[in-house]
Each structure stands twice: as structure tokens, then as C-alpha cells.
Amino acid sequence: MSHAEFLIPAQPAPPQPAKAVSVSRIVGYLVVALWIVLGLSLILLMITNWDTDKFVRYGPRYIHGLWITLTLVAFSFVFGAILSIPLAFARMSANRVLSGVAYCYVYLFRGTPLLAQLFLVYYGLGGFRPQLESVGLWWLFRDAWYCGLLSMSLNTAAYQTEILRGAIESVPRGQHEAAASLGIHKLVSFWKIVLPQALIVALRPYGNEIILLIKSSAVVAIITVYDLMGETRYAFSRTYDYQTYLWAAIFYLAIVEALRHLWAAIEARLTRHLKR
């Protein structure tokens, strides 16, 4: 039986091959440089064209519009989440009637623009004023903010229905069978075993849906809701200054970035047991 009499000294790592400069890499560098130049140009224009009077006059209106946007998105997302729960179970139901109705709802609201749905609620249902007054619902449909809230809630409910349904169905069937073999009630196993795993899967799509909802909320300005975009339109109609829309874009970008980092922190916290 042979054995080694001395150890082979460690050898240095092989040199990294030089990366060839390709056309796509050059184009990528040029595009990034162009974006940097455009960004610096916008910052320079904002500094050179700064108007303190406009900032003092319209700044509070922007803050008010930002608050309206945040409350509108928050309420519509919560109401959409509540509505998506029975719709998701209806989509997964073995009953063809329930499944078909839920499918038609999801297909309709996901297949049509939010702006068209908003017009149908605000202008379409407004034509039924006598009927709505007779049932005591005219107070809801005469206010543009409530119409925007209803439209956004119905729209996001369709997307959240598919998110929740896909997340629940992604949980392996063996989880249900293991819980049943231990004599755990179906409701308990769903609440304690299936749903936590499903929500982890749905966490990232829910974050994407909130971000899309924030950006989509700008359409309510068309029906005279003074959200962030509505206040921006008001400021532009008084000043004809392009910077009003630039500030609105900065506000939306700040909201999305703050939400993205918050959602990433929540996801890292909830999935810490899955990291090795």
C-alpha cells in the first residue's frame, strides 16, 4: 500500500481570460452614459430654474395630493384583498357555476383598461341616479373619490385573486395529506399550514401589485380627484411649467423606491428560515 511522502504545494489560480470588448457592451456603456447625462441635465435645469414662490404656493398642494394618493391606494388594496379571498376559493371550486362566475370576473377586469372601468363607474352608473337614490347609494357614486376607490378595488381584486389562487395551488398536495393523516381539521390545516406557505410565495407578486396600483392611481385625476397627479395638473394649468410634472415623477419614484425597500425587508424577515 503506497502513500504520499510529501504534499504538493498549492498552485496559484489560473489567470482570468481577458473579456473581449463586444458591440453590445459598447452600446450598453453608451446608453448608461446617455442616461447619466440626461439625469444631470434635469438636475441642472431644476437648480437653475428654481422658483421659491411656486414651491411655497404649490408645495402644500403636492403634499395634500400625495396623501390622497396613498390613502386611495391603501384602501383599494385592502378592499381588493378582502374581495379576492372568496373569489380565489370560487376559482378553485369544483362547482362549475362558481368557478365560471369568478373566471368571468377575473377575465373582465384583467382584460380591460382601468381607465375604461373608471369611466364606466363614474359616468356610466351616474346615469342611473334615480335608481341609485331610491336604494340610498347615490352618495357613493356622486363623489369622484369613491368612484375611483371602487374602480381600483374591483380592478386589483381580479389580480389579487389570481395571485392568491396560484400561491395556494403551489403548496404541494402532500402538505394537505400529511395534515389529514394526523387528524388535523381541514380549516386548521389550511390556516396553520397551507396559508403561511402560500403567502410567502405570494409576497413578491403582492408587492408588484401595490407598485402597479400606485402608478395606475394617476388615472383618477381625469375624473377630478385631486390626488398627486390631479394637483400636478392644477399646478401646470396655472404656471405652464414643465417642472410640475417632473416633481410629480420624483414623488412617484420616491414612493415606489421606499415601498420596494420596505417590501424587500419584509420578505427577508419572513423568509429568513429558508436561507442557508
Side-chain angles (χ1 to χ4, degrees), residues 100-245:
V101 170
Y103 174 80
C104 291
Y105 175 88
V106 171
Y107 182 83
L108 175 64
F109 281 92
R110 292 179 69 196
T112 56
L114 175 59
L115 183 60
Q117 299 164 19
L118 183 64
F119 283 167
L120 286 173
V121 172
Y122 185 66
Y123 295 112
L125 295 180
F128 298 93
R129 178 175 178 176
Q131 292 81 2
L132 293 173
E133 286 181 340
S134 63
V135 295
L137 290 177
W138 177 241
W139 63 271
L140 177 67
F141 295 98
R142 72 179 179 183
D143 193 312
W145 192 87
Y146 287 117
C147 290
L149 176 63
L150 178 61
S151 302
M152 292 175 59
S153 300
L154 294 176
N155 181 270
T156 188
Y159 288 93
Q160 292 187 53
T161 297
E162 289 301 289
I163 292 173
L164 184 59
R165 181 186 66 84
I168 293 175
E169 291 183 345
S170 69
V171 177
R173 187 65 185 173
Q175 301 283 345
H176 302 267
E177 297 172 353
S181 66
L182 294 173
I184 301 176
H185 194 272
K186 287 185 177 181
L187 291 178
V188 177
S189 66
F190 175 79
W191 183 257
K192 297 288 187 178
I193 300 173
V194 177
L195 189 60
Q197 299 179 71
L199 290 180
I200 290 177
V201 175
L203 194 61
R204 184 64 62 87
Y206 272 132
N208 294 336
E209 176 59 22
I210 295 178
I211 291 175
L212 291 175
L213 197 61
I214 290 173
K215 293 186 286 187
S216 301
S217 66
V219 301
V220 299
I222 300 177
I223 59 171
T224 69
V225 176
Y226 282 97
D227 66 329
L228 181 56
M229 185 55 65
E231 297 290 1
T232 303
R233 293 179 63 195
Y234 175 85
F236 181 78
S237 66
R238 297 297 188 274
T239 61
Y240 295 101
D241 188 353
Y242 76 95
Q243 290 192 62
T244 55
Y245 286 105

Side-chain angles (χ1 to χ4, degrees), residues 257-273:
E257 280 300 305
L259 181 62
R260 186 175 66 85
H261 284 86
L262 175 62
W263 213 258
I266 295 174
E267 184 180 10
R269 174 70 178 174
L270 295 178
T271 60
R272 63 189 185 279
H273 63 285

Side-chain angles (χ1 to χ4, degrees), residues 18-30:
K19 294 183 179 180
V21 180
S22 61
V23 177
S24 60
R25 184 179 293 272
I26 295 175
V27 172
Y29 287 145
L30 291 177

Side-chain angles (χ1 to χ4, degrees), residues 54-71:
K54 292 179 182 177
F55 178 79
V56 172
R57 183 175 181 182
Y58 298 105
R61 297 189 68 99
Y62 272 82
I63 300 301
H64 174 264
L66 178 62
W67 172 251
I68 295 297
T69 295
L70 292 178
T71 54

